[in-house]
Structures are given as C-alpha cells and as structure tokens.
Amino acid sequence: MIERMLPGLEGEQHSMTDLGAAARNVIPNDDNAGHRAMIDAIRTYVEVVTFAPADEILRVLREIADEDWMAMPPWARNLAYRLVCLQRPDDVSVLREASADLLSFGPDWDRHAHELRDRADRIEARG
C-alpha cells in the first residue's frame, strides 16, 4: 500500500488512503470556503484519487451519494469514475454505473455515457 502523507485536509497530515476525507473536502461548504483552501482541497483530492484502488473509489462515491447525491462536483465524480473504469475496463456493472452518473450531468457528457453503456453491452454480448 502506498503510504504518503499529504497536507491540506483539515490542517492535518493524512495518508494517501484517506480518499473519503479528500473527496469531502472538494464539496463546497463554509468550512473550507476561500479560494486557497479550495485549490488545496482539489489538489489533494486529485492526488489521492489517482492512486486509490477501484474498490475504495467506488465505496467513497457511493457513500457520498447516499449522504447528498448532488454534493460532490461533477468533475470530481467524473474523474473518480474514469479511474475506476480504467482499473476495471471489463466490469459491466461499473461501466453502467459510470454511464448513469454521466447522464445525470448531461448533455455535455451524454456521448461518453452512451459509449460506456455500449461497451458494457458489447462485453455482455460476447460473455
């Protein structure tokens, strides 16, 4: 497991495995208001999610969605699902979940959502 300390999460040092905290810090709120704090939160989130395993990314996405479906910015969700799809390119359920999430923020992302859904269909058809 990669264990690297990152600054910027509530003023403390956190391990790179703390994706949940990093994801929550990119959700705008009064606690992390301010341009510099948001830039630090975004930088930390991108670094943490980049090296997170697919299971952890999915767990955090689902957990945050259960708390407040619209809280996490679409760019952060898109990045997370993209990384999961890259780690699990043939996982039909993940492809469909990512597709459904993209469709929720269209129409800009609809083409990509349909590509993911079509890829899932092709995998199932040959399966």
Side-chain angles (χ1 to χ4, degrees):
M1 168 173 45
I2 298 172
E3 192 73 19
R4 182 167 154 217
M5 300 311 281
L6 300 172
L9 298 178
E10 300 171 14
E12 300 175 5
Q13 296 287 318
H14 293 267
S15 74
M16 192 174 284
T17 59
D18 200 352
L19 178 59
R24 281 179 179 74
N25 280 338
V26 298
I27 298 170
N29 64 47
D30 292 336
D31 294 336
N32 65 359
H35 185 69
R36 185 71 214 161
M38 185 53 74
I39 289 172
D40 288 344
I42 290 169
R43 182 179 298 121
T44 299
Y45 172 77
V46 169
E47 187 169 346
V48 173
V49 75
T50 298
F51 296 102
D55 287 338
E56 183 178 1
I57 296 171
L58 287 170
R59 179 187 58 75
V60 169
L61 283 168
R62 292 168 182 162
E63 185 177 285
I64 289 175
D66 285 345
E67 293 169 9
D68 182 354
W69 182 79
M70 292 296 294
M72 194 170 187
W75 69 264
R77 294 160 67 131
N78 291 351
L79 174 60
Y81 275 114
R82 178 70 173 158
L83 291 169
V84 171
C85 288
L86 288 171
Q87 290 182 49
R88 294 187 182 170
D90 296 325
D91 187 326
V92 172
S93 65
V94 166
L95 295 173
R96 292 193 190 287
E97 183 176 336
S99 174
D101 194 74
L102 284 171
L103 286 171
S104 300
F105 296 100
D108 295 342
W109 304 105
D110 288 0
R111 180 177 62 87
H112 301 288
H114 295 302
E115 288 171 2
L116 289 170
R117 186 198 58 215
D118 293 346
R119 191 164 98 202
D121 290 344
R122 285 191 304 276
I123 292 168
E124 279 184 336
R126 70 173 188 238

